[in-house]
Amino acid sequence: MTLRRYELQEILFSDRPLRRELLEVDLSGKTEKVVTVNVWRNHAFENLKPLIEPYCLFGNWQAIFNIGPYDDSFMFSDWRQADIELLWLDSSRFSLGADWQDWLHDRLGALRAISGAPIILATWADARELDKITVNYPAIYYADLKRVCDEAQVDLLDFRTSKFAGTPVSNHAQLIVARELACHWLPAVVFPPVKAIAIDLDNTLHDGVLGEDGADGVNLSSGHNNLQIYMKSLSRNGIFIALISRNEHIDVEALFTQRKDYPLRWEDFSETEISWGDKSSAIERLAGSLRISTDSILFVDDNIGELVDVAMRLPQVKTVYAHHDADLTRQVIHFFPGIWQWSVKADDAKRVQDMKMNAVREAIGVNASSPIEYFRSLQVALTYFYDSEKQLCRIADLCNKTNQFNLAIRRFNEVELAECLINNDKCVASVQLTDRLSDSGVIAVIVAERRKEQVIVEELCISCRALGRQLESTILLIALRGMCIFEGCHDVVFKVQHGARNQPALKWLADLQGDCDLPSPGLYTVPIQRLLNFQAAEGIDLVKG
Amino acid sequence: MSYTEIEAVVLTTLANIIKNKVDSSGADVVIQQLDSLKHVEFIFAVEDEMGVQFSQEELVDMDSVDKIVTRVMARHEA
């Protein structure tokens, strides 16, 4: 299956995929995830289904579409639970105007009221108007069919075939839209993002072998130039770029100094692993130093042997074959599920810069005589926010992306969090971390509910970028104490769930209680006095947001 | 492209759509038995493969291999 996936990259990610070739794709095998999608529509969606399928299989997932009847009124009858709600709307069947926008706003509200799943509105009309409509509800996304077809230089509509096809979406547009749905729009609302790309050097970022051709002999083709520019843009969006190469370290560093024509500079790499050792071990080391899990890494290499070895030893790592045509490699990365996001939040973009500063922080830590001096010299500040609607998107992201420091693994989505914000018995605390080196953004969330004399902590999580700074208790306990629902309570009850990697959170709770053993799954009660006695770490500026 | 070459592409495309083998003698029956969605899929795939676009009038009765091949040839000649 792994080798077949690499072979298919050329068919799936060409500029103009061919319908016959897509229909011929055979990628049978068990997929990692199954996602259910309710399709509410007023034009045919059936033609897209077989075109979407090969892309989903390539991304190791399967979509099950519950396609509703043709319905111009979008009544959402016979609604059933699904992971995603897709409105597949032919706007040419309506006379567009203010009334239509009001009607659409009303319909989105009706669907939002019955479903907590992310809603994707896939249609074409004035993008500015539709953007205005979708911002009024949480977790509603506008998939602009016209924009993607314009970018692909394909006509969106073809009324010649609409009567037969049941949709005005043209033959070629269907191919482009199917790929967008399977690789961008659907995965971006249900799957965690790729956090790092570990990319090979020789015959991947340039044409040639550094050790044989020398720094002047390796060729930066137009495709490799485009690929490097693309990698740089991903880094600006908060994806770590790591170089993983079998070479001499000194030669590679000299290459990036010497080749001024390379868009990627040495300092653009968040980490480098240059050695003659095996690449799976190098990827594990990368994950450790970047404080991310290996399942959020995409590994790109032109050597099938290396790719297969990594896929066998670390099956959770995603892999992409680097083609001789680097433009094709760029396309494969661009369409790999988890790379594209609906929006790049300011906090995402801060990730790369923030991680770079960790080396400086560590050096300051080594030289500091005490934690107080360390915090003061860094000018660490924690800002506490409560029920912040403005941060809703980031808070949902944290709940869904955090794997190491989360206690209940309760993946709250935007809709559920929005309900918490307006409920007086519930509270959502969020904490922003800054120091003189960087602004880490919102790094922690607590979702809690008051029930009689108890505060129940439904979830708490801290981003991996804030771990290892001895700040966990100050972040969490001060945030809890500042909640309006905290006043007058007798106990705080933490909900505990065991996940694959959430030992740091479990250990923190055990330490809070003075226990040696990690807490078991279930409810874990901490007397209020323990929280009241807690002294925040000295030298930190605590601010109410 | 010759008639035979175009016919071969059309038959391959049809076999791909129905996910089964098909020969020239049974192809017309298969085409006529396709449901409307499969029929559109088939015609779209032929358009892709041959680099042509049929007119709305032509799309109405694309019910035999001969009609499809003849129309593709006409497009290519034009």
Side-chain angles (χ1 to χ4, degrees):
Chain A
M1 174 116 167
T2 305
L3 285 174
R4 182 80 185 116
R5 282 176 67 254
Y6 305 145
E7 285 167 9
L8 288 171
Q9 287 183 180
E10 208 163 338
I11 291 172
L12 297 174
F13 302 106
S14 69
D15 283 345
R16 286 283 178 95
L18 284 174
R19 185 176 291 262
R20 179 185 57 78
E21 290 185 330
L22 289 183
L23 296 175
E24 267 173 9
V25 168
D26 175 24
L27 261 178
S28 49
K30 201 168 177 290
T31 55
E32 199 175 279
K33 286 173 186 162
V34 176
V35 173
T36 52
V37 185
N38 284 340
V39 182
W40 309 101
R41 51 79 178 264
N42 68 344
H43 62 128
F45 185 78
E46 287 81 348
N47 285 331
L48 270 86
K49 253 181 69 175
L51 305 175
I52 290 172
E53 195 176 333
Y55 291 105
C56 294
L57 292 173
F58 177 83
N60 201 10
W61 66 288
Q62 189 193 347
I64 295 177
F65 294 103
N66 305 320
I67 303 177
Y70 289 93
D71 177 17
D72 274 327
S73 61
F74 286 87
M75 294 301 288
F76 313 117
S77 50
D78 298 325
W79 175 84
R80 50 190 155 150
Q81 192 87 37
D83 299 309
I84 302 172
E85 308 284 351
L86 174 65
L87 264 73
W88 182 243
L89 192 152
D90 171 2
S91 56
S92 65
R93 294 176 64 83
F94 301 89
S95 47
L96 307 181
D99 286 352
W100 182 72
Q101 286 163 24
D102 289 345
W103 169 83
L104 184 58
H105 187 264
D106 174 69
R107 291 296 79 211
L108 288 169
L111 183 55
R112 182 73 300 155
I114 55 171
S115 172
I119 298 173
I120 298 174
L121 169 64
T123 188
W124 57 95
D126 187 333
R128 284 162 306 178
E129 295 304 327
L130 289 185
D131 278 339
K132 267 190 244 164
I133 292 172
T134 53
V135 294
N136 289 335
Y137 299 106
I140 297 188
Y141 306 91
Y142 172 38
D144 187 346
L145 270 57
K146 183 163 186 325
R147 183 187 57 76
V148 294
C149 289
D150 285 350
E151 281 171 9
Q153 297 178 316
V154 158
D155 289 332
L156 168 64
L157 302 177
D158 183 357
F159 290 100
R160 173 186 64 100
T161 56
S162 60
K163 193 177 154 198
F164 308 97
T167 171
V169 177
S170 74
N171 179 8
H172 291 137
Q174 287 182 14
L175 302 168
I176 298 300
V177 170
R179 186 162 66 184
E180 286 292 328
L181 275 165
C183 300
H184 287 167
W185 296 334
L186 298 175
V189 293
V190 284
F191 296 147
V194 168
K195 289 183 180 168
I197 299 179
I199 193 160
D200 174 44
L201 177 65
D202 289 334
N203 289 319
T204 301
L205 283 177
H206 57 216
D207 196 6
V209 178
L210 178 63
E212 293 170 10
D213 304 317
D216 289 328
V218 289
N219 175 36
L220 183 72
S221 69
S222 145
H224 290 100
N225 188 60
N226 293 340
L227 175 62
Q228 290 199 16
I229 290 171
Y230 178 66
M231 299 303 287
K232 220 173 158 81
S233 74
L234 292 180
S235 168
R236 279 196 296 271
N237 289 349
I239 295 178
F240 297 119
I241 308 300
L243 186 64
I244 184 161
S245 170
R246 282 182 193 275
N247 263 306
E248 294 296 338
H249 193 285
I250 191 167
D251 293 346
V252 179
E253 204 170 345
L255 169 82
F256 281 92
T257 310
Q258 202 172 319
R259 291 295 295 256
K260 306 287 184 207
D261 54 333
Y262 277 28
L264 271 175
R265 308 310 309 157
W266 183 249
E267 55 274 17
D268 289 325
F269 297 109
S270 297
E271 277 295 331
T272 54
E273 274 290 343
I274 301 156
S275 73
W276 299 98
D278 68 275
K279 290 198 175 176
S280 48
S281 303
I283 288 173
E284 285 181 309
R285 286 195 296 274
L286 280 179
S289 54
L290 294 173
R291 297 180 186 172
I292 58 174
S293 67
T294 46
D295 62 6
S296 59
I297 295 179
L298 177 65
F299 172 49
V300 185
D301 201 307
D302 70 303
N303 185 324
I304 296 273
E306 302 275 23
L307 288 168
V308 171
D309 184 59
V310 167
M312 298 256 293
R313 290 185 197 212
L314 302 170
Q316 68 279 24
V317 171
K318 297 147 180 86
T319 55
V320 158
Y321 171 64
H323 294 262
H324 180 67
D325 172 5
D327 279 322
L328 179 57
T329 309
R330 179 174 48 84
Q331 280 274 92
V332 184
I333 297 171
H334 176 64
F335 282 109
F336 203 94
I339 292 287
W340 184 90
Q341 298 296 311
W342 279 98
S343 62
V344 178
K345 289 120 200 155
D347 283 356
D348 289 329
K350 288 168 187 164
R351 186 183 300 127
V352 172
Q353 186 59 22
D354 195 28
M355 186 56 76
K356 270 188 188 157
M357 291 300 140
N358 274 346
V360 183
R361 287 186 189 104
E362 275 165 26
I364 292 171
V366 168
N367 295 322
S369 60
S370 68
I372 303 170
E373 189 195 324
Y374 171 70
F375 292 134
R376 283 201 179 128
S377 67
L378 276 175
Q379 296 166 15
V380 176
L382 293 168
T383 309
Y384 297 84
F385 299 88
Y386 295 93
D387 295 331
S388 169
E389 202 182 330
K390 225 168 64 181
Q391 295 175 352
L392 191 62
C393 201
R394 169 64 182 157
I395 292 169
D397 263 3
L398 266 178
C399 288
N400 286 283
K401 290 176 183 173
T402 308
N403 287 317
Q404 296 176 44
F405 205 108
N406 53 348
L407 208 48
I409 318 177
R410 172 78 168 79
R411 304 294 190 189
F412 282 99
N413 65 27
E414 262 188 73
V415 179
E416 292 166 323
L417 288 165
E419 280 166 9
C420 293
L421 299 191
I422 54 171
N423 186 329
N424 288 336
D425 293 328
K426 295 183 179 180
C427 186
V428 179
S430 44
V431 187
Q432 181 187 5
L433 168 64
T434 54
D435 62 22
R436 69 176 168 83
L437 296 175
S438 68
D439 173 2
S440 303
V442 174
I443 45 80
V445 172
I446 303 176
V447 182
E449 181 178 5
R450 177 73 181 253
R451 283 188 215 149
K452 293 182 180 167
E453 309 300 312
Q454 293 184 319
V455 168
I456 316 289
V457 177
E458 299 282 345
E459 179 60 299
L460 61 79
C461 41
I462 302 180
S463 162
C464 57
R465 71 175 86 166
L467 298 180
R469 301 196 206 178
Q470 310 302 318
L471 290 169
E472 291 84 351
S473 291
T474 304
I475 291 169
L476 297 172
L477 300 182
I478 300 296
L480 263 170
R481 287 199 319 218
M483 286 181 164
C484 54
I485 58 171
F486 186 82
E487 209 176 307
C489 79
H490 292 172
D491 302 303
V492 176
V493 180
F494 293 90
K495 284 193 174 172
V496 174
Q497 191 62 256
H498 286 201
R501 291 184 298 276
N502 71 335
Q503 284 81 5
L506 300 173
K507 184 162 185 323
W508 170 80
L509 187 56
D511 289 347
L512 181 66
Q513 279 284 60
D515 288 344
C516 297
D517 300 326
L518 295 182
S520 304
L523 300 175
Y524 201 87
T525 305
V526 176
I528 193 72
Q529 205 53 43
R530 199 172 286 271
L531 272 77
L532 292 172
N533 291 344
F534 172 74
Q535 299 279 318
E538 279 187 68
I540 300 171
D541 200 6
L542 305 179
V543 184
K544 182 135 194 222
Chain B
M1 282 175 94
S2 69
Y3 186 99
T4 316
E5 285 169 330
I6 297 171
E7 184 186 39
V9 174
V10 171
L11 291 174
T12 308
T13 307
L14 182 59
N16 182 244
I17 295 289
I18 63 168
K19 309 247 181 253
N20 213 336
K21 285 181 183 163
V22 63
D23 58 26
S24 54
S25 61
D28 288 355
V29 177
V30 172
I31 292 171
Q32 285 149 24
Q33 286 176 346
L34 290 175
D35 66 33
S36 57
L37 285 168
K38 281 279 171 210
H39 192 264
V40 168
E41 215 168 79
F42 168 54
I43 297 298
F44 276 170
V46 170
E47 285 190 338
D48 271 1
E49 293 298 312
M50 305 311 306
V52 296
Q53 272 205 346
F54 301 113
S55 71
Q56 196 169 347
E57 294 71 38
E58 286 172 327
L59 288 168
V60 179
D61 67 340
M62 292 285 215
D63 55 2
S64 73
V65 174
D66 180 60
K67 282 182 189 169
I68 296 168
V69 175
T70 308
R71 282 164 190 172
V72 170
M73 289 188 82
R75 283 279 180 289
H76 283 178
E77 279 162 19

